[in-house]
Amino acid sequence: MNNKYLSFIIYHLSFSVAILSFSVAILLAACGTKKTAVDTNVTSVPSVPSDSRTSVPTSPTPSDTRTLAARAFAKKVTDNAVYAKNIVGDMQFNLQSGSKDYTVAGSLHMRHNEVIRLQLFLPFIGTEVGRLEFTPDYVLVIDRLHKEYIQAGYNQVDFLAQNGLSFYSLQALFWNQLMVPGKKTVGEGDLEKFTINMDAAGQHVPLSLSNGKMKYQWNVDKNSGQIAQALVTYQSTHTGRSQLTWNYANFRTVGTKRFPAQQQFTFKSAAVKGGEATTITISMSEVKTDDKWEARTTPSSKYKKVEATDILSRLMK
C-alpha cells in the first residue's frame, strides 16, 4: 500500500469519526432533552381514603409488572458495563467509502473518562503513520507521513462546536454503553428516561430516547442484556436524514464482563456531498486491560500545526 493510500486513510479517518460523531453531536445539542417515561402504560393504583380504618390491599396490575420488568432490564443493561479502567488491543482497521476499501493494522487504547486513541501502522514495517486521539478537552490528529497535526478544543472546530460534540457520547459508543444527553454516565435514576419495548418481536429489546427530530435507539439482546447495536438518527428540515449505525460483535471476557472486540460504525447523510456511506470496522485481535501507557500525546516540535478546517477542506476535495 503506497503513501497516497495511507494518507487518504489518515485524513479520512479523522473526517469519518468527526462525521460519525455528527449525528450524536446533533442530539447532544439539545441537552435539555425532555424526560421520557418508560413505555409500559403504567396505570395508577386507586388511593384509599385517608379516613379509612382498614387498608385495602391491592395487587400489582399487568402494567405495573411490565414497568418493573422494563426497569429491571434497563438496569441489567447498565450493569453490563465493563469495570476495567483501560481497554487496549491491536486491531485491523478497515475503511469503506464508495468504491474505496482499505485495510491497515492499528491499535486501540482507551482509558475511561480520559482518552480514546486510534493508531494506524504501515503494513509489514509496523511504523505508526497516523494517530487520532479524543480527550474530554480536545481532539488531536497526527499525520506522521506529512509531519502535521491538529490539536483543538471542541469549541475551536466549527464543525464540532456547532453540533455540540461530546467526548462522553463517543466514549459510551466505543465502550458499548447507554448514554443520556448532557451526562457523563447513566445512573439508576436515569433509567426512567428510556422508552423500553419489552414486547418487541425478535431477539432484541429496543431502548430509546427521543426529542423532536432526534432519536437514539439501542437494540439489546433479550437474554444477556448486551447492546448489539446503537442507532442515532436526525431528521433535518434543511439537510434531510442523517443516521449513524454502530454494530457490536465478537464479545470477549474482560474480568466478569464482556467487551465487543469488533465494532463497525456506518454514517450516511443527505448533508454529506455525494450521499455515500462511510463504514469503519475495528477488529481487535485481543482485548487487554494494560495500564502501562501514557494517556496524552505531545506532538513533536518538528511537526507543523494546521487548522482543522484545512484538513476538512482537503477531504471535501
Side-chain angles (χ1 to χ4, degrees):
M1 183 176 290
N2 62 35
N3 285 357
K4 176 182 177 182
Y5 290 157
L6 285 168
S7 177
F8 169 82
I9 291 174
I10 294 167
Y11 287 130
H12 211 116
L13 171 59
S14 63
F15 178 68
S16 298
V17 177
I19 284 289
L20 291 171
S21 306
F22 168 69
S23 52
V24 179
I26 293 173
L27 302 177
L28 292 170
C31 288
T33 302
K34 292 184 289 186
K35 205 171 202 178
T36 307
V38 176
D39 186 22
T40 50
N41 300 317
V42 178
T43 302
S44 299
V45 178
S47 60
V48 178
S50 58
D51 60 349
S52 295
R53 295 189 179 185
T54 304
S55 60
V56 179
T58 58
S59 299
T61 67
S63 182
D64 291 332
T65 302
R66 289 198 302 273
T67 298
L68 292 174
R71 290 181 179 174
F73 185 78
K75 181 66 164 55
K76 183 177 182 178
V77 177
T78 58
D79 286 345
N80 276 332
V82 297
Y83 295 136
K85 176 72 173 176
N86 298 279
I87 293 292
V88 177
D90 295 333
M91 67 173 181
Q92 285 293 313
F93 175 91
N94 174 261
L95 182 146
Q96 297 179 35
S97 182
S99 61
K100 303 175 181 66
D101 188 342
Y102 303 118
T103 299
V104 295
S107 71
L108 175 67
H109 286 69
M110 301 193 296
R111 183 164 292 164
H112 202 254
N113 289 339
E114 292 188 46
V115 68
I116 300 167
R117 177 187 300 152
L118 292 92
Q119 296 165 263
L120 301 181
F121 305 124
L122 277 170
F124 308 113
I125 301 174
T127 302
E128 182 183 300
V129 292
R131 178 177 297 205
L132 175 63
E133 192 167 283
F134 288 97
T135 77
D137 306 312
Y138 60 81
V139 179
L140 173 66
V141 181
I142 298 178
D143 176 359
R144 299 202 186 281
L145 287 177
H146 299 90
K147 298 190 183 317
E148 296 178 343
Y149 74 95
I150 302 167
Q151 184 170 345
Y154 295 89
N155 62 345
Q156 292 179 271
V157 184
D158 289 344
F159 180 80
L160 304 180
Q162 290 172 4
N163 296 294
L165 176 63
S166 164
F167 166 80
Y168 299 101
S169 63
L170 279 177
Q171 177 171 264
L173 288 168
F174 272 101
W175 284 74
N176 189 232
Q177 297 173 2
L178 297 176
M179 59 178 153
V180 172
K183 302 196 71 172
K184 292 183 180 180
T185 58
V186 178
E188 191 166 347
D190 296 314
L191 299 182
E192 66 181 36
K193 299 174 182 176
F194 293 89
T195 298
I196 306 172
N197 183 4
M198 296 296 293
D199 299 321
Q203 183 59 31
H204 297 120
V205 174
L207 283 74
S208 60
L209 283 172
S210 298
N211 185 43
K213 300 175 182 177
M214 302 166 287
K215 182 178 182 180
Y216 293 100
Q217 179 174 307
W218 295 265
N219 293 320
V220 181
D221 186 272
K222 285 184 176 179
N223 298 319
S224 67
Q226 203 81 55
I227 298 172
Q229 183 185 70
L231 300 171
V232 186
T233 307
Y234 175 69
Q235 185 67 46
S236 169
T237 304
H238 303 291
T239 59
R241 180 183 175 89
S242 299
Q243 180 166 297
L244 167 66
T245 304
W246 202 296
N247 294 308
Y248 304 95
N250 192 18
F251 284 83
R252 305 283 184 88
T253 299
V254 178
T256 60
K257 306 297 181 179
R258 301 176 73 219
F259 183 84
Q262 179 173 305
Q263 301 190 31
Q264 183 182 79
F265 31 106
T266 299
F267 180 77
K268 186 171 184 179
S269 175
V272 176
K273 186 176 181 180
E276 291 183 340
T278 295
T279 298
I280 290 176
T281 303
I282 294 173
S283 300
M284 300 176 71
S285 59
E286 55 190 351
V287 180
K288 301 186 293 184
T289 58
D290 296 351
D291 61 358
K292 305 300 182 184
W293 52 280
E294 294 296 327
R296 300 295 174 98
T297 300
T298 301
S300 168
S301 59
K302 297 179 181 179
Y303 282 36
K304 176 186 176 183
K305 185 175 182 178
V306 296
E307 296 299 323
T309 51
D310 292 343
I311 295 294
L312 292 177
S313 64
R314 293 182 199 178
L315 291 168
M316 295 307 291
K317 293 178 181 178

